[in-house]
Amino acid sequence: MTRQRLALGKAGENLACQELERRGYAIIARRWRQRAGEIDIIARHGRILVFVEVKARAGGAFGEAAEAVSRRKRRRLVQLARMYLARHRLLESPCRFDVVAIDAGAGHAVVQVFQNAFDAGTT
């Protein structure tokens, strides 16, 4: 990955955390890594544990950010979430998957939060 893409990713995660906190989420972890991959943000929203995928785009050449969460990516996130829940003995905890899409361009960024963006059973 280029430095520019890494910087966009970090800036996107920072914007996502700010927006989530503004909406009442409590951030638990960022960039939770396992051999199988990484969950961008893990948060609590009320009593619900939320696994958040952040997608940032610098322009529209490759589509909108929200379109970048593929079926394969969703399956991987579900697998990682199950690992997190098992490791932290939270298997009975209600949870969901949100996507934060950031489309940056023309000097400003548009941040959208898609709550319950997909279900673990539909991946």
Side-chain angles (χ1 to χ4, degrees):
M1 250 195 272
T2 66
R3 287 184 192 192
Q4 188 175 10
R5 267 186 81 188
L6 287 171
L8 177 63
K10 283 188 178 186
E13 284 184 17
N14 290 337
L15 281 172
C17 283
Q18 289 171 7
E19 180 61 23
L20 292 171
E21 287 174 333
R22 188 185 73 74
R23 292 175 181 230
Y25 289 61
I27 307 301
I28 295 171
R30 291 180 65 174
R31 296 186 203 118
W32 186 79
R33 292 178 141 304
Q34 291 297 302
R35 191 174 281 183
E38 176 182 282
I39 298 174
D40 294 330
I41 299 170
I42 301 170
R44 275 219 179 267
H45 192 220
R47 53 183 276 278
I48 299 172
L49 191 60
V50 185
F51 299 96
V52 182
E53 176 67 11
V54 179
K55 287 296 179 185
R57 291 284 186 258
F62 296 103
E64 292 185 3
E67 300 170 335
V69 184
S70 67
R71 185 176 186 160
R72 181 175 181 217
K73 182 64 175 179
R74 291 191 305 263
R75 278 194 305 252
R76 172 131 329 138
L77 285 169
V78 169
Q79 175 188 20
L80 288 163
R82 287 180 176 145
M83 291 170 69
Y84 180 89
L85 292 168
R87 178 158 294 149
H88 292 88
R89 296 186 173 106
L90 296 169
L91 291 172
E92 300 301 318
S93 179
C95 64
R96 71 173 191 244
F97 297 90
D98 289 3
V99 172
V100 177
I102 302 161
D103 290 294
H108 72 284
V110 176
V111 180
Q112 295 178 292
V113 178
F114 297 94
Q115 290 184 345
N116 209 21
F118 61 91
D119 188 284
T122 61
T123 57

